[in-house]
């Protein structure tokens, strides 16, 4: 998917994350990553740096953080919580130019919550990064 869109993929996972055990539904986790990558490609199509970073890192309090980052324009601060609402699409030039229904990120949040994970977004310079935090299994 990433290569077909003309993007480069960078995987960034720390060594301890390979030994960390988390409880996930494999199909839901896969769908979350696919949706976040698709979203990253869609909203950074005009970025100078055509790259998607997928990362995983063990957290100091346990658990593991997965990230999907693009190098596009980022997300307006006032939109960050709203983008996870069902059928929400921000009103800006970029969303008018992209096809979508506003359900993908709401579904991502619902699937993450069902697996006791938290999902959010932060802006990077440049771009945006979706973060998916799973607690460590016991």
């Amino acid at each position: 998917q990433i290569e077909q869109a003309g993007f480069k993929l960078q995987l960034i996972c720390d060594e301890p994350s390979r030994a960390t055990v988390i409880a996930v539904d494999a199909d839901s986790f896969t769908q979350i990553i696919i949706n976040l990558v698709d979203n990253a490609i869609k909203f950074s199509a005009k970025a100078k740096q055509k790259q998607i970073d997928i990362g995983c890192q063990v957290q100091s309090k346990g658990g593991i953080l997965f990230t999907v980052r693009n190098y596009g324009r980022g997300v307006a601060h006032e939109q960050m919580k709203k983008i996870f609402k069902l059928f929400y699409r921000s009103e800006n030039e970029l969303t008018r130019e992209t096809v979508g229904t506003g359900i993908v990120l709401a579904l991502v949040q619902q699937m993450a919550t069902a697996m006791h994970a938290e999902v959010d977004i932060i802006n990077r310079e440049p771009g945006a990064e979706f973060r998916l935090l799973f607690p460590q299994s016991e």
Side-chain angles (χ1 to χ4, degrees), residues 42 86-89 99-104:
K42 185 186 301 185
L86 194 58
F87 302 118
Y88 181 80
R89 284 179 50 91
V99 177
T101 59
I103 64 171
V104 168

Side-chain angles (χ1 to χ4, degrees), residues 98-117:
T98 58
V99 177
T101 59
I103 64 171
V104 168
L105 295 178
L107 291 174
V108 164
Q109 185 172 44
Q110 288 176 0
M111 288 185 283
T113 300
M115 293 185 286
H116 307 289

Side-chain angles (χ1 to χ4, degrees), residues 12-33:
I12 309 163
C13 290
D14 65 6
E15 196 61 39
S17 65
R18 297 171 196 238
T20 301
V21 177
I22 57 172
V24 299
D25 175 276
D27 290 335
S28 293
F29 179 79
T30 301
Q31 191 62 54
I32 287 171
I33 298 300

Side-chain angles (χ1 to χ4, degrees), residues 85-103:
K85 294 182 188 274
L86 194 58
F87 302 118
Y88 181 80
R89 284 179 50 91
S90 64
E91 290 298 320
N92 64 37
E93 179 183 335
L94 190 55
T95 55
R96 284 190 291 276
E97 294 175 358
T98 58
V99 177
T101 59
I103 64 171

Side-chain angles (χ1 to χ4, degrees), residues 2-63:
I2 293 170
E3 291 172 357
Q4 288 177 347
F7 282 72
K8 178 182 156 192
L9 170 65
Q10 182 172 331
L11 295 174
I12 309 163
C13 290
D14 65 6
E15 196 61 39
S17 65
R18 297 171 196 238
T20 301
V21 177
I22 57 172
V24 299
D25 175 276
D27 290 335
S28 293
F29 179 79
T30 301
Q31 191 62 54
I32 287 171
I33 298 300
I34 289 170
N35 287 343
L36 292 178
V37 166
D38 183 57
N39 191 74
I41 291 169
K42 185 186 301 185
F43 288 99
S44 62
K46 294 183 179 181
K48 291 179 184 177
Q49 186 174 352
K50 299 226 182 261
Q51 179 173 315
I52 304 295
D53 298 342
I54 299 176
C56 52
Q57 181 180 26
V58 172
Q59 300 298 285
S60 61
K61 296 180 181 178

